[in-house]
Amino acid sequence: MHGLNALVRRTAETLRSAVAADVFVPGDRGYDQARQAWNLAADQRPSAVVFAESAADVVRAVRFARAHRVRIAPQATGHGAVPLEPLEGAILLKTSRMRRVDIYPATRSARAEAGAQWQDVTDPAGQHGLAALAGSSPDIGVTGYTLGGGISWLARRYGLAANSVTAVEIVVPDGRLVHADADHEPDLFWAVRGAGGSVGVVTALEMALYPVPELYAGALFFPIERSSQVLHAWREWTGTVPDELTSVGRILRLPPAPEVPEHLRGRSFALVEAAYAGSAPAAAGLLRPLRELGPELDTFATIPAPALGRLHMDPDQPVPGAGDGTFLADAPAGAIDALVALAGPGVDTPLLSVELRHLGGALARTAPGGGAQATIDAKYLMFAAGSAPTAPLGDAVRAHIQAVIDALTPWQAGYRYYNFADTPAEADAVLPPASHQRLREIKAKYDPDQMIISAHPVRPAGY
Ligand SMILES: Cc1cc2nc3c(=O)[nH]c(=O)nc-3n(C[C@H](O)[C@H](O)[C@H](O)COP(=O)(O)OP(=O)(O)OC[C@H]3O[C@@H](n4cnc5c(N)ncnc54)[C@H](O)[C@@H]3O)c2cc1C
């Protein structure tokens, strides 16, 4: 592939007229804003940014890239921008203006354009008493999240979001807009459900919704000094709960920032967050052992499904962050001790959050006709993150995260979670080996020249 740099000035106008969309190249007023990702720590410097407004724009952009032998990186929000390979010489194809969502209550399904954020789906779905398998934050992109798997507050009940996708519209690298489902283009359909966006540019996804109008959800906050007691109790408790309950055990250091509620601002906690898709009395019974520990704050209440987007208290504006995570085959008491030793009370750490998500349930059962992550052979998922407003602070956060990952080595599963691998990693590090092999064959068939840049690169078979 030739870089676009040499061609930039000469071809900028050609690109503009070819794609009929907003295009920014270096030197343009607006380029710096256009290249920005949700994660402000990502310093993306593509040779052009194209803002697609329709599937037709995507087709034109992909055909332009093919004709000019330029690589192309689709992006919705840039929540997952940090692990991307450098974009010099490439087109950054932003889908953020393609946010149309249609809800079909009769079939309990939705169609979301590639730039839709989860709140665009969960809010209108909630009006029909339906829930989507959404991410923990309302402004996460539906597409990137779902392509990489998608672990929601309903994950133990309904599995990965990717395995609830029923059809995909995708522009393949030869420039064709293709409809893929179980009966059409089954390889493409398989690959986009869990193996990321490496085989084409998705323009829309269709997905199942679930009849969950309300949940009993919230958090129990304990002083950070009680981390060991609380996380051990939570871990034991996770062995007793039904699939309708998905929970997180977490150590959280809240910054002294104005957007944090005053009573929590600047304080550090051990906490358990959970969502139960069932009745409040049943939930109260399930929570009793943890409530008996005497939390300082108990926010559990019956909430409408769209409000799940606030439960994890993720930043709701773009921020500079560094994070990383790993699947754990199991988390026995020793794993909790290791985690508390590196993130618990008295530890000098820049990590704002270190969490364990409880997996299992539907995630552990093979989804019938599922995609590249049809099942997850790991009982827990660790994720740690901190603020990275400068490069040195980012390095410090990453060093501390790596120390946590290293300490958990004895319990790590064979591969990491695609969506939480937020440092550069090839696809073999974030997929089951058999899925990675099949993905390489599909990549060779659809994108042998590696025109598509994806979060975790996959080399075509035979490459
Ligand atoms: C605050 C926060 C909370 C999170 N919570 C969760 C969570 O609860 N559960 C979970 O599973 N993950 C979670 N994640 C991880 C998140 O799912 C990934 O970062 C994901 O990549 C975000 O998707 P996006 O579309 O918003 O990001 P983007 O950076 O826009 O996209 C990420 C990647 O997806 C691919 N992609 C995007 N659009 C297309 C397209 N149209 N065609 C082809 N490929 C495409 C590309 O490879 C792109 O690099 C969280 C991340 C953050 C920052």
Side-chain angles (χ1 to χ4, degrees):
M1 294 271 158
H2 299 305
L4 189 61
N5 271 335
L7 301 170
V8 159
R9 283 289 144 214
R10 209 151 29 91
T11 55
E13 286 316 312
T14 326
L15 176 58
R16 277 194 182 95
S17 54
V19 299
D22 273 354
V23 174
F24 296 89
V25 298
D28 283 348
R29 200 172 4 178
Y31 171 78
D32 281 336
Q33 199 184 345
R35 70 187 179 87
Q36 203 172 83
W38 183 92
N39 189 332
L40 301 176
D43 184 21
Q44 320 188 95
R45 294 183 179 274
S47 291
V49 186
V50 173
F51 282 90
E53 306 214 8
S54 65
D57 286 350
V58 174
V59 167
R60 285 189 283 265
V62 169
R63 288 183 180 168
F64 177 91
R66 164 126 318 253
H68 292 265
R69 306 189 67 210
V70 169
R71 301 186 77 201
I72 190 162
Q75 185 169 82
T77 67
H79 273 78
V82 168
L84 278 183
E85 19 184 329
L87 297 182
E88 278 84 355
I91 293 174
L92 178 61
L93 178 57
K94 292 226 179 184
T95 59
S96 48
R97 295 182 184 170
M98 298 172 61
R99 283 177 68 170
R100 181 184 167 133
V101 170
D102 296 291
I103 305 293
Y104 305 106
T107 52
R108 288 184 187 155
S109 61
R111 177 185 179 277
E113 282 192 336
Q117 301 177 5
W118 272 116
Q119 60 203 351
D120 302 335
V121 178
T122 56
D123 288 351
Q127 288 168 16
H128 299 281
L130 298 170
L133 303 185
S136 62
S137 188
D139 62 353
I140 297 173
V142 171
T143 303
Y145 165 95
T146 304
L147 266 48
I151 293 180
S152 71
W153 283 114
L154 292 163
R156 285 173 35 80
R157 174 68 180 86
Y158 295 111
L160 277 186
N163 293 322
S164 279
V165 170
T166 51
V168 57
E169 293 156 39
I170 182 168
V171 178
V172 285
D174 68 11
R176 284 176 303 130
L177 173 60
V178 171
H179 174 97
D181 59 23
D183 301 320
H184 307 91
E185 304 273 6
D187 280 345
L188 283 177
F189 185 55
W190 177 89
V192 295
R193 290 178 303 139
S198 57
V199 291
V201 182
V202 169
T203 58
L205 291 175
E206 290 173 27
M207 70 198 80
L209 302 174
Y210 296 96
V212 183
E214 299 180 330
L215 297 96
Y216 193 74
L220 303 177
F221 289 71
F222 301 84
I224 192 171
E225 288 70 25
R226 298 183 64 189
S227 295
S228 179
Q229 180 199 20
V230 170
L231 292 185
H232 278 292
W234 168 76
R235 180 193 73 84
E236 284 166 25
W237 177 75
T238 56
T240 68
V241 298
D243 294 355
E244 286 73 19
L245 197 149
T246 297
S247 68
V248 174
R250 188 174 191 193
I251 298 174
L252 184 65
R253 290 173 162 81
L254 289 159
E259 57 271 21
V260 178
E262 203 173 335
H263 62 291
L264 303 176
R265 200 174 294 162
R267 295 200 53 205
S268 299
F269 296 95
L271 62 157
V272 175
E273 300 165 353
Y276 176 63
S279 73
L286 288 165
L287 284 169
R288 189 173 305 122
L290 296 178
R291 279 187 162 143
E292 281 173 356
L293 297 175
E296 177 184 327
L297 179 67
D298 179 342
T299 66
F300 275 89
T302 299
I303 61 166
L308 284 174
R310 300 286 166 210
L311 176 54
H312 199 249
M313 299 170 282
D314 289 335
D316 57 4
Q317 297 292 324
V319 289
D324 217 342
T326 188
F327 279 136
L328 299 179
D330 204 351
I336 300 294
D337 289 340
L339 201 126
V340 172
L342 284 164
V347 177
D348 185 13
T349 174
L351 300 182
L352 297 177
S353 173
V354 179
E355 70 182 60
L356 290 181
R357 294 192 181 195
H358 182 212
L359 307 180
L363 296 166
R365 296 186 284 273
T366 303
Q373 297 186 55
T375 178
I376 293 182
D377 192 15
K379 290 187 179 156
Y380 297 89
L381 170 61
M382 189 283 291
F383 186 72
S387 180
T390 63
L393 284 172
D395 290 343
V397 170
R398 275 184 289 276
H400 280 259
I401 296 172
Q402 193 54 49
V404 175
I405 292 176
D406 290 347
L408 295 173
T409 301
W411 304 285
Q412 275 177 44
Y415 61 97
R416 295 156 67 199
Y417 178 39
Y418 195 105
N419 278 352
F420 280 4
D422 220 7
T423 44
E426 298 223 354
D428 63 342
V430 292
L431 289 173
S435 290
H436 178 243
Q437 194 46 45
R438 182 170 172 191
L439 181 64
R440 292 191 65 202
E441 306 285 342
I442 298 171
K443 182 81 171 172
K445 181 171 158 193
Y446 286 95
D447 189 21
D449 300 330
Q450 302 183 64
M451 191 177 106
I452 307 289
I453 297 177
S454 64
H456 300 295
V458 53
R459 308 293 155 203
Y463 173 80

